[in-house]
Amino acid sequence: MQKSSRNWITSVLVLASGWLLLYATRTVLSSALKDIGDYWGLSQSWLGILSSSFFLSYTLLQIPSGFLADKFGSRTMLMAGFVVQSVGLILGSLSQNHIQFLASRLLTGMGQATYFACQQAIVSILLPREKKALGAALTVAGAGLGGALGFFVGKILSAGSYGWRMPFTALGVLSMVFVGAVLLAVPEPKTLMKAAQSTASNQNDRLDDTWKSAGGETPKLSPTFLVYMCVAHFMTMYGFYLMLTWLPYYLETVRNLEGSFSTTIPVIMSLVMSPATVLAGLLFGKLKDKTLICRIALPISAFAVMIVPLAGSTAALVLALATYGATGKLVIDPSLVYYVGESSPPEKRGMTFAVFNVAGAVAMTVAPAVTGFVAQATGSFNGSFYIAGAFNLVGLACFLAGVRIFSNYTQPAASGRIIASEQKLVH
């Protein structure tokens, strides 16, 4: 294995561990939600607000994070975000009332706001073009493992004398350790770009010189393309965060499963999702039809979400969640990220991914709170699962519409590079 290959693989593994910590931080609240509610006597609506508060600050800081990443460097902003996350987690473990805990979740969300855009910008520039989908899948696979870690370890650590506070303390410490790992193993994209531009000996050596117009400029796609991709991101993220934030509570209070089972069953979904995401990344690079994974996975995941409230046995419920894990949000993300990344020049990629992720962040914010309010108003969680399944189908339609726009503006050149179509761009 060449040194350059080892370098990007090491960076990808470190960035995957960052996703693991991010998702553990998100799902640890889900595993502790009932304990926190009992501790402070909170209603379902308040628990929904606690879940969504994290995503509110996360959403509001997406665009500023993308701008700052392009200006000061993606790695710098990524590390700064993890420092803020660490502080938020530790303050959360020290909270004396639910208002203080709410503030700590807002701070933690601020810290995580930098990660998606910065990490995707690093991967899209660091990795060889043929490895980008696989690299994105490998990093995102860490999110699946992190979801499992948050559900499972959160419950175990909460059983100690420190109670539900202990998992937040542990994750705060690990977040600081991660900052050191990034400093040692992940390069700054701005540095890579400057080095590549100064040493490139021919057109094929230039960093990410994939999309060029006939005049040598990077084409600007219609804003409609990004709108479609953002809507697809929102629709598919909604159901994913319904599962991550409310599933343990739903299983324990509605399905009357014991606390250990209500935490273990969601872990199955997350554990299946990680290898499925890596497999999707491997297949994506080999498939001629880049939409195939989404066209197969999204209808199946829609059905899997809708069947959760209808599953009459624990075995059927486990099968539905495992099916969602094999076809759900993380599995289709490499496809979305690929198209969004390929549509933007490297120097503006942080902002492009930040705009794209605003849609997902809005879904993260809306889904927990809306689910809590709907459950309290109707006395049932069933409707939320049906809505989430339907959203997946809408997401598929938007993704395919966006790809059609993308394809109209780009076409393969005989040399194997992709050049802009001579068709006039509509802005």
Side-chain angles (χ1 to χ4, degrees):
M1 183 180 294
Q2 295 181 348
K3 183 178 179 180
S4 60
S5 297
R6 290 198 300 270
N7 287 344
W8 74 255
I9 289 173
T10 300
S11 297
V12 164
L13 291 176
V14 170
L15 293 171
S17 69
W19 277 114
L20 185 147
L21 288 173
L22 260 66
Y23 270 76
T25 297
R26 298 174 188 183
T27 57
V28 73
L29 177 62
S30 302
S31 68
L33 203 58
K34 187 176 184 301
D35 292 337
I36 292 173
D38 292 341
Y39 187 81
W40 282 315
L42 303 178
S43 66
Q44 289 179 334
S45 295
W46 249 109
L47 293 177
I49 290 171
L50 285 180
S51 296
S52 288
S53 62
F54 167 95
F55 301 111
L56 175 62
S57 57
Y58 178 88
T59 302
L60 293 176
L61 289 180
Q62 285 300 306
I63 300 298
S65 295
F67 172 79
L68 293 173
D70 288 337
K71 185 174 180 62
F72 298 109
S74 296
R75 187 183 73 156
T76 299
M77 291 305 300
L78 184 150
M79 292 190 295
F82 252 85
V83 171
V84 174
Q85 171 178 291
S86 178
V87 172
L89 285 165
I90 292 174
L91 289 178
S93 70
L94 299 174
S95 299
Q96 298 302 305
N97 55 61
H98 65 285
I99 300 299
Q100 291 180 3
F101 188 78
L102 175 66
S104 76
R105 295 304 293 176
L106 287 167
L107 187 61
T108 305
M110 291 171 61
Q112 289 203 10
T114 66
Y115 199 79
F116 181 89
C118 294
Q119 183 265 319
Q120 296 295 357
I122 292 170
V123 169
S124 67
I125 293 171
L126 175 64
L127 270 62
R129 185 172 185 273
E130 67 277 6
K131 300 294 185 182
K132 287 182 181 180
L134 176 59
L138 287 170
T139 55
V140 174
L145 293 176
L149 182 70
F151 282 133
F152 191 60
V153 175
K155 208 68 175 180
I156 292 177
L157 294 180
S158 295
S161 58
Y162 199 47
W164 58 264
R165 301 174 186 272
M166 186 60 197
F168 295 93
T169 302
L171 288 171
V173 173
L174 289 174
S175 293
M176 289 302 299
V177 173
F178 173 76
V179 173
V182 172
L183 190 62
L184 293 173
V186 179
E188 173 58 60
K190 281 183 174 290
T191 303
L192 290 175
M193 291 169 62
K194 289 179 181 178
Q197 289 167 359
S198 64
T199 60
S201 58
N202 57 61
Q203 192 76 359
N204 290 330
D205 289 334
R206 291 178 190 171
L207 180 64
D208 206 11
D209 190 23
T210 305
W211 298 98
K212 295 291 182 183
S213 68
E217 300 294 330
T218 302
K220 295 180 180 179
L221 297 183
S222 164
T224 309
F225 161 78
L226 190 55
V227 169
Y228 275 127
M229 289 298 175
C230 286
V231 174
H233 195 31
F234 173 91
M235 292 294 173
T236 53
M237 187 69 82
Y238 186 96
F240 185 44
Y241 269 84
L242 182 155
M243 297 285 217
L244 286 184
T245 55
W246 279 104
L247 195 55
Y249 185 92
Y250 168 79
L251 295 177
E252 189 168 354
T253 61
V254 177
R255 302 300 291 259
N256 296 318
L257 297 178
E258 294 181 3
S260 57
F261 280 107
S262 68
T263 302
T264 303
I265 290 177
V267 168
I268 295 171
M269 176 187 73
S270 298
L271 291 178
V272 171
M273 196 170 282
S274 290
T277 301
V278 175
L279 178 61
L282 288 169
L283 291 175
F284 186 89
K286 300 178 183 299
L287 291 172
K288 184 176 181 180
D289 180 0
K290 301 299 186 184
T291 68
L292 185 61
I293 291 173
C294 286
R295 288 194 290 110
I296 293 174
L298 282 174
I300 296 174
S301 64
F303 174 78
V305 173
M306 291 179 178
I307 208 70
V308 167
L310 302 176
S313 66
T314 301
L317 181 62
V318 168
L319 179 60
L321 295 177
T323 301
Y324 180 79
T327 58
K329 176 59 178 171
L330 298 187
V331 175
I332 62 101
D333 264 355
S335 301
L336 291 173
V337 167
Y338 171 85
Y339 281 105
V340 173
E342 291 293 275
S343 72
S344 63
E347 67 274 10
K348 295 182 179 179
R349 207 153 283 177
M351 179 61 78
T352 301
F353 277 120
V355 171
F356 171 69
N357 200 43
V358 165
V362 171
M364 297 175 196
T365 305
V366 169
V370 169
T371 301
F373 283 120
V374 169
Q376 188 163 321
T378 65
S380 173
F381 281 89
N382 292 1
S384 293
F385 287 102
Y386 302 145
I387 291 170
F391 277 5
N392 270 11
L393 299 179
V394 176
L396 174 60
C398 290
F399 168 74
L400 294 176
V403 170
R404 282 195 294 271
I405 292 174
F406 184 89
S407 299
N408 286 339
Y409 295 141
T410 56
Q411 62 183 15
S415 65
R417 293 179 63 228
I418 301 178
I419 62 173
S421 170
E422 293 182 355
Q423 179 180 355
K424 184 179 180 181
L425 302 184
V426 180
H427 294 287

